[in-house]
Amino acid sequence: MIKVNDNFCKLPGSYLFSEVARKVKAYAEANPTAKIIKMGIGDVTRPLCQAAIAAMTEAVKDQASAETFHGYGPETGYDFLRQAIVAGDYGKRGVKVELDEIFVNDGAKSDTGNIGDILSPDCKVAVTDPVYPVYVDTNVMAGRAGELKGNGCWSNVIYLPCTVDNDFVPSLPKETPDVIYLCYPNNPTGTTLTRDQLKVWVDYARENGALILFDSAYEAYITDEDVPHSIYEIPGAKEVAIEFRSYSKTAGFTGVRCGYTVVPMALQGVNSKGEKVSLNALWRRRQTTKFNGSSYIAQRGAAALYTSRGREEIAETVAYYMDNARMLREAMLSLGLKAVGGVNAPYVWVKTPDGLSSWEFFDLLLHKCSIVGTPGVGFGPSGEGYFRFSAFSSHEATEEASNRLARFIK
Ligand code: MLT
């Protein structure tokens, strides 16, 4: 019989959002008339913007004729998109990023999961807790996480609790990690780090030879001036950080699939012979071997987001979801629940009432209110007793959910 990768066998039965989907499916089958409001997985509901639709329609037409047909594209992305990224996401904020530092992909999830391919299996990883489960699960798969302990922590992972006690700002670890995952604006808590708070991490990484994997998939939702959109706004970050970006939550590309990763030229690691190695070169080697690029059509759609029409349309969509976030946050607070997030992020992180566990609250909301959220403990041990609501529904559904919750909790 074929021998399997034992690390996969260490993982809990199913991925968080698959478990939520399984429970929701069972409830829907047993209650076919229930009007279920889904605020669980952060999947968007607004249609693609017209700028992207028009560009993708043209791209499909290109594929209809031999003269304009595009087959395999450059594995790291077409120049037309990478140029738009360099100017539109970085240049406008005074950050210098080179074309060759950009790797276009099929969404941030793939690259945040795959980046570990170029890191030593011995690297010690630190994650904020709660955390987007992909970071931990993919390190389990790679054999870096150790064993799952009774308290829900992996023995070889450094957890950086983010709770009400530290205002959801992680403290520097006591034990020095090699790799630090930071996601800001944060999924799942919706909280942020200011420029000064992020600088603490960049300085720490520089002093300790650590690598920061910075997921800024939600940067478009930032409203506060002192919250950086990119880690490269912090001096010295290009020597210690890789940044992941996504068009999923901004432009509704969860189904289209396109995003990108920035791996700076200045970023260096060391191999087992003690030689310095460029992480950009290693990632390029990895991507050109294992990835054939995001589709031409998706990349044309992404490039259109940088036009003035694209920008305006995205801003409208983001404002729409942020209206929901405000509505949700206000609803929770008016019910006397403790809630954070929803100001610079499309997630509201709520303390469950009456000391209910995250999954108890999930089951109650599903069965009594037909509302789906995500149990906080699914994001890590420090998420126990918390619950995440996503603001990606329609206004009507968000309002209806707020009313149902008010009736239920009162
Ligand atoms: C989430 O709900 O945390 C995200 O939608 C998951 C993802 O982006 O993969």
Side-chain angles (χ1 to χ4, degrees):
M1 289 238 272
I2 190 74
K3 288 186 189 159
V4 300
N5 179 345
D6 260 355
N7 296 319
F8 279 67
C9 304
K10 294 182 182 175
L11 286 165
S14 59
Y15 180 60
L16 170 63
F17 293 109
S18 314
E19 178 61 9
V20 168
R22 191 190 61 74
K23 285 193 172 230
V24 174
K25 185 164 177 275
Y27 174 74
E29 278 166 10
N31 301 275
T33 56
K35 291 202 166 42
I36 301 175
I37 300 178
K38 294 189 178 164
M39 298 192 295
I41 190 164
D43 196 4
V44 293
T45 53
R46 305 295 298 155
L48 295 179
C49 66
Q50 284 308 312
I53 294 283
M56 288 199 274
T57 305
E58 284 309 309
V60 170
K61 288 185 196 154
D62 285 349
Q63 300 299 69
S65 116
E67 287 71 42
T68 48
F69 173 77
H70 288 73
Y72 291 130
E75 296 100 329
T76 59
Y78 285 99
D79 279 0
F80 63 76
L81 177 55
R82 296 194 302 159
Q83 275 156 359
I85 291 167
V86 165
D89 284 340
Y90 293 101
K92 78 164 188 207
R93 295 194 187 281
V95 174
K96 197 160 164 35
V97 166
E98 306 294 338
L99 217 59
D100 284 347
E101 297 179 321
I102 311 266
F103 294 79
V104 175
N105 60 29
D106 61 352
K109 183 178 185 174
S110 312
D111 279 12
T112 53
N114 291 330
I115 196 75
D117 279 11
I118 63 167
L119 305 174
S120 161
D122 302 333
C123 282
K124 186 95 183 179
V125 165
V127 294
T128 54
D129 172 25
V131 69
Y132 180 40
V134 170
Y135 313 153
V136 175
D137 286 6
T138 54
N139 277 290
V140 176
M141 293 171 182
R144 283 193 200 96
E147 304 301 322
L148 186 57
K149 298 187 291 182
N151 62 0
C153 293
W154 291 88
S155 59
N156 206 30
V157 172
I158 300 171
Y159 288 81
L160 310 166
C162 296
T163 63
V164 75
D165 296 334
N166 56 9
D167 230 357
F168 298 93
V169 177
S171 304
L172 293 174
K174 292 188 184 74
E175 183 187 355
T176 310
D178 300 297
V179 182
I180 305 160
Y181 287 84
L182 295 177
C183 171
Y184 287 98
N186 186 252
N187 178 16
T189 64
T191 57
T192 52
L193 293 184
T194 62
R195 228 168 235 104
D196 287 348
Q197 288 166 336
L198 185 56
K199 182 175 181 308
V200 169
W201 286 94
V202 170
D203 291 349
Y204 175 83
R206 291 176 65 83
E207 281 153 24
N208 291 280
L211 170 69
I212 297 178
L213 298 176
F214 192 74
D215 185 350
S216 59
Y218 299 93
E219 63 80 30
Y221 290 86
I222 294 171
T223 55
D224 288 347
E225 280 291 312
D226 65 345
V227 175
H229 288 248
S230 162
I231 194 165
Y232 305 126
E233 291 175 46
I234 311 297
K238 283 190 90 178
E239 279 129 54
V240 291
I242 291 176
E243 179 160 288
F244 304 92
R245 291 280 185 110
S246 165
Y247 300 110
S248 289
K249 318 293 160 132
T250 337
F253 271 39
T254 52
V256 175
R257 309 306 309 154
C258 194
Y260 66 90
T261 296
V262 183
V263 187
M265 293 295 181
L267 201 50
Q268 292 204 314
V270 65
N271 66 16
S272 58
K273 295 183 199 145
E275 297 158 344
K276 285 190 175 168
V277 181
S278 153
L279 266 62
N280 180 291
L282 286 194
W283 185 242
R284 185 172 309 279
R285 187 69 175 86
R286 191 265 175 212
Q287 289 299 79
T288 50
T289 306
K290 289 197 182 181
F291 186 56
N292 261 332
S294 171
S295 82
Y296 170 69
I297 298 163
Q299 291 190 60
R300 276 287 177 208
L305 306 174
Y306 294 91
T307 60
S308 52
R309 181 179 173 202
R311 280 184 190 289
E312 274 166 34
E313 290 175 333
I314 285 181
E316 277 167 29
T317 306
V318 167
Y320 181 95
Y321 292 134
M322 285 311 278
D323 239 14
N324 290 345
R326 182 193 44 75
M327 211 188 310
L328 276 172
R329 184 185 159 93
E330 285 172 5
M332 302 302 155
L333 295 175
S334 74
L335 291 169
L337 299 178
K338 292 199 172 67
V340 292
V343 176
N344 292 291
Y347 295 124
V348 179
W349 185 246
V350 181
K351 184 92 192 85
T352 58
D354 302 329
L356 290 170
S357 76
S358 298
W359 279 109
E360 282 168 346
F361 193 55
F362 173 90
D363 287 331
L364 266 181
L365 282 195
L366 181 61
H367 291 272
K368 304 282 181 210
C369 307
S370 299
I371 291 175
V372 182
T374 310
V377 71
F379 296 101
S382 296
E384 180 56 287
Y386 283 90
F387 203 72
R388 191 193 77 175
F389 289 98
S390 128
F392 289 121
S393 295
S394 65
H395 284 338
E396 296 72 21
T398 307
E399 197 170 2
E400 171 61 18
S402 305
N403 292 338
R404 285 188 203 174
L405 268 167
R407 284 197 296 273
F408 175 64
I409 285 178
K410 275 180 187 151

